[in-house]
């Protein structure tokens, strides 16, 4: 059977979260991330669901995005990348993933071609974005995933 409407975040992730709650015991992680230094993050389905809902609220609140809007996400494979993917699924925001190897010219082209209203990246690529942002008339919001703040950028950690 094919459902009339399907949303991975609510139809799969939230269902597993509910099953996890009802079990009231240890469960397998929904996301288990380990970086090159050995730091790790383990999220249950309930935690991943909750955090992705918070990120969805961030996107539709301070980032001023709504269903059908496009967001360019240029991130390494960090946990926030997964939260943003699920949050975009929840809200119907179109995610455009980009590699961290993009140049300023590449970023400008993608922003113009996609008419993305928002870009999300780290402090490594923020200067490249800033160098071309004035040419991208559709770009309204810049969201940075960084421990530090940057002028004219919303900070992911602060908003979360």
């Amino acid at each position: 059977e094919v459902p009339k409407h399907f949303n991975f975040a609510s139809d799969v992730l939230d269902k597993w979260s509910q099953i996890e709650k009802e079990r009231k015991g240890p469960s397998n992680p929904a996301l288990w991330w380990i970086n090159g230094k050995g730091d790790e993050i383990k999220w249950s389905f309930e935690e991943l669901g909750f955090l992705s809902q918070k990120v969805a609220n961030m996107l539709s609140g301070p980032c001023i995005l709504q269903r059908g809007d496009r967001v360019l996400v240029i991130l390494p494979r960090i946990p926030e990348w997964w939260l943003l993917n699920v949050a975009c699924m929840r809200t119907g925001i179109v995610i455009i993933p980009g590699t961290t190897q993009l140049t300023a010219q590449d970023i400008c082209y993608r922003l113009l071609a996609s008419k993305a209203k928002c870009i999300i990246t780290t402090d490594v690529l923020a200067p490249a974005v800033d160098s071309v942002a004035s040419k991208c008339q559709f770009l309204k919001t810049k969201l940075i995933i960084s421990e530090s703040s940057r002028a004219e950028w919303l900070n992911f950690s602060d908003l979360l």
Side-chain angles (χ1 to χ4, degrees), residues 13 17 20 27-31 42-50:
L13 181 62
S17 176
E20 197 174 71
S27 62
N28 293 324
L31 181 112
K42 271 189 198 181
W43 288 329
S44 66
F45 285 94
E46 185 177 3
E47 291 167 321
L48 182 58
F50 175 74

Side-chain angles (χ1 to χ4, degrees), residues 41-158:
I41 291 177
K42 271 189 198 181
W43 288 329
S44 66
F45 285 94
E46 185 177 3
E47 291 167 321
L48 182 58
F50 175 74
L51 289 170
S52 68
Q53 287 172 351
K54 285 181 75 168
V55 174
N57 290 337
M58 178 193 313
L59 294 176
S60 57
C63 293
I64 320 166
L65 297 170
Q66 52 190 310
R67 181 177 199 77
D69 285 344
R70 296 170 193 95
V71 58
L72 180 58
V73 178
I74 308 172
L75 294 174
R77 295 305 180 246
I78 56 177
E80 293 85 353
W81 187 88
W82 296 99
L83 290 177
L84 285 159
N85 273 272
V86 176
C88 285
M89 288 178 210
R90 282 191 186 284
T91 56
I93 294 168
V94 179
I95 189 167
I96 304 165
T99 176
T100 55
Q101 297 173 331
L102 294 175
T103 65
Q105 184 179 350
D106 297 328
I107 292 168
C108 185
Y109 173 79
R110 282 163 175 76
L111 286 169
L112 290 170
S114 68
K115 299 179 182 175
K117 291 186 178 179
C118 177
I119 188 164
I120 304 170
T121 193
T122 63
D123 45 7
V124 174
L125 282 175
V129 174
D130 285 338
S131 73
V132 298
S134 64
K135 300 175 190 170
C136 305
Q137 67 270 26
F138 300 102
L139 183 63
K140 303 294 179 218
T141 306
K142 298 182 289 186
L143 183 65
I144 192 166
I145 297 179
S146 172
E147 295 299 318
S148 58
S149 298
R150 187 171 180 88
E152 299 179 14
W153 286 75
L154 297 174
N155 185 289
F156 184 90
S157 298
D158 292 347

